[in-house]
Amino acid sequence: MSKFSEQVLGWFDLHGRHDLPWQKTITPYRVWVSEIMLQQTQVKTVIPYYERFMRSFPTVEALAQASQDAVLAHWAGLGYYARGRNLHKSAMKIMADFEGRFPESYDDVLALPGIGRSTAGAILSIALQQRHAILDGNVKRVLSRYLALEGWTGNKNNESFLWHKAEEFTPISRFADYTQAIMDLGATVCTRTKPCCETCPVRSGCLANQQDRVRDFPAKKPKKEKPIKQAYFLVLENMEGKLFLQQRSQIGIWGGLWSFPEYESHESCLNKMKKYESQSTSLHSLVEWNSFRHTFSHYHLDIFPVVVKGIDENHALQVFGNGEWACKVALNSQQATLGVPAPVTKLVRLIRECKNV
Ligand code: SF4
């Protein structure tokens, strides 16, 4: 066993996390769901989502039988919704190709939608005690500091160097513990903004620490300005105070989630309303709210809500097409049955509170 893994395991025995929900009753299914939720998301955010998800979909079979809407409703607010869609698709594939048993071969796991090399390694090492290296964001940070690796960790050469090192450091026993340990070390000691080198088990061999250059690693991704896009949300409220939502296509952002009718320009949004007005004689009010920004990993989206109250459902159906009229309170509740993206939840809350953005 390398000195590095020995030190990491010794630290894990004393200080690692041993009581996370997915560490109780370990099964490949439970570990898989946790690993997918933990991609890009912190443990404390994941825990309530994980517990609710497991209550509703305790097995691969339950997940495969659920509707995509039900799955996405459990994902609403976690972001990166492709993760939820892929989890659902994978559950159906596991039912069809593996009789409902989570596959045990690395290649079969890697072939499931939404599972990359590191996630496959984490699931199989934690749940089935197989020897695989992992290289998630936490591990990249620890190793890039430990090895004082110059340059962005995402570039091809650095990435293959880090994989090589991750494999070299993976011990020949205690695979599950080591996988958990190295992730914990990155999440709790070698953190992004406040690394705690004084208590770190690997500080004696850490080059960044020796060179007093911890802040230099990992090097930042070469900066590219995020583009700004605009979207006009037509927030239609009927006489009963329900809001009109439409399901988005499976492709693109928020695929399969429910959102307000959306337009690229102010003009196209108001033209649609003019069309509605030409067909409806009922009274309604239209107010253009202040815009607000939602930021994705690769662009900013400035959202301009146009709130129209007193909409006639029959005319709306003719002009806007199919959709659902949803109760505002239900949309803001934990028991929501429609998956909606975070900016829609925010807008619904503001409408309920009558607060312009
Ligand atoms: S010594 Fe500091 S920089 Fe090096 S691995 Fe430990 S916490 Fe990270």
Side-chain angles (χ1 to χ4, degrees):
M1 196 180 292
S2 70
K3 191 171 172 201
F4 179 89
S5 49
E6 204 174 304
Q7 288 169 326
V8 171
L9 280 166
W11 169 84
F12 176 71
D13 290 337
L14 294 175
H15 306 288
R17 298 179 287 192
H18 300 272
D19 54 359
L20 298 171
W22 43 91
Q23 292 174 321
K24 297 168 194 154
T25 327
I26 294 176
T27 66
Y29 174 65
R30 289 172 58 80
V31 173
W32 169 42
V33 174
S34 73
E35 286 299 322
I36 300 296
M37 286 191 169
L38 287 165
Q39 289 170 353
Q40 328 271 359
T41 313
Q42 290 188 345
V43 164
K44 70 172 189 305
T45 308
V46 164
I47 288 175
Y49 280 91
Y50 179 81
E51 289 180 331
R52 186 171 163 235
F53 197 92
M54 279 300 152
R55 276 196 299 276
S56 301
F57 316 117
T59 59
V60 176
E61 192 177 2
L63 180 58
Q65 284 171 354
S67 67
Q68 189 192 64
D69 270 348
V71 176
L72 292 181
H74 284 70
W75 214 271
L78 258 187
Y80 300 96
Y81 295 94
R83 295 182 299 174
R85 287 197 302 276
N86 283 332
L87 207 55
H88 188 228
K89 270 193 229 158
S90 294
M92 293 193 279
K93 188 170 161 59
I94 293 169
M95 292 308 294
D97 298 352
F98 302 99
E99 297 172 348
R101 272 178 68 86
F102 194 88
E104 299 190 359
S105 103
Y106 183 77
D107 289 344
D108 287 341
V109 175
L110 199 55
L112 293 173
I115 297 192
R117 198 170 158 188
S118 184
T119 303
I123 298 168
L124 290 173
S125 63
I126 293 175
L128 295 171
Q129 304 283 333
Q130 294 182 12
R131 183 178 187 272
H132 296 289
I134 64 156
L135 189 65
D136 68 357
N138 281 326
V139 180
K140 275 186 181 172
R141 185 170 57 253
V142 173
L143 295 186
S144 70
R145 286 175 176 163
Y146 188 78
L147 301 161
L149 179 67
E150 304 288 350
W152 179 44
T153 55
N155 80 40
K156 243 189 162 156
N157 286 346
N158 278 349
E159 187 141 353
S160 66
F161 174 73
L162 287 173
W163 268 112
H164 170 73
K165 284 296 182 187
E167 270 153 21
E168 187 183 304
F169 287 150
T170 302
I172 48 165
S173 60
R174 298 192 65 192
F175 314 128
D177 284 350
Y178 178 75
T179 296
Q180 192 63 58
I182 184 85
M183 290 194 292
D184 282 5
L185 187 69
T188 64
V189 177
C190 193
T191 59
R192 195 167 60 83
T193 52
K194 287 186 189 148
C196 208
C197 299
E198 313 79 60
T199 61
C200 178
V202 298
R203 69 186 173 284
S204 61
C206 175
L207 293 180
N209 188 41
Q210 283 168 20
Q211 297 167 10
D212 200 14
R213 294 181 58 210
V214 173
R215 303 274 160 204
D216 294 345
F217 306 101
K220 289 210 169 61
K221 184 179 178 179
K223 220 178 170 140
K224 223 167 93 188
E225 276 295 306
K226 283 187 189 181
I228 301 170
K229 298 186 183 181
Q230 297 187 337
Y232 288 77
F233 277 8
L234 200 43
V235 183
L236 304 173
E237 187 173 319
N238 70 8
M239 324 281 187
E240 294 165 34
K242 288 186 173 174
L243 300 176
F244 185 67
L245 297 177
Q246 292 181 309
Q247 190 165 31
R248 300 175 67 96
S249 86
Q250 295 291 323
I251 301 157
I253 58 155
W254 303 330
L257 294 184
W258 292 76
S259 182
F260 300 114
E262 182 184 324
Y263 303 90
E264 278 181 10
S265 70
H266 185 244
E267 195 188 3
S268 56
C269 180
L270 293 190
N271 281 345
K272 200 72 174 176
M273 269 318 292
K274 275 188 195 139
K275 189 168 176 199
Y276 168 84
E277 281 159 3
S278 69
Q279 297 190 14
S280 170
T281 49
S282 63
L283 282 178
H284 60 267
S285 65
L286 183 153
V287 181
E288 296 190 33
W289 282 27
N290 299 332
S291 66
F292 65 99
R293 177 166 289 186
H294 182 77
T295 296
F296 294 95
S297 54
H298 48 306
Y299 66 92
H300 299 292
L301 182 67
D302 285 346
I303 295 170
F304 295 80
V306 177
V307 181
V308 191
K309 296 191 177 191
I311 287 285
D312 176 289
E313 281 190 28
N314 291 329
H315 287 119
L317 185 73
Q318 287 161 18
V319 176
F320 301 103
N322 286 331
E324 292 273 338
W325 291 92
C327 165
K328 284 176 256 179
V329 177
L331 281 172
N332 274 165
S333 99
Q334 279 277 308
Q335 271 66 47
T337 52
L338 297 181
V340 295
V344 171
T345 309
K346 173 179 172 172
L347 201 44
V348 171
R349 183 174 47 75
L350 292 170
I351 290 166
R352 285 177 60 204
E353 292 167 359
C354 295
K355 275 189 199 156
N356 197 337
V357 179

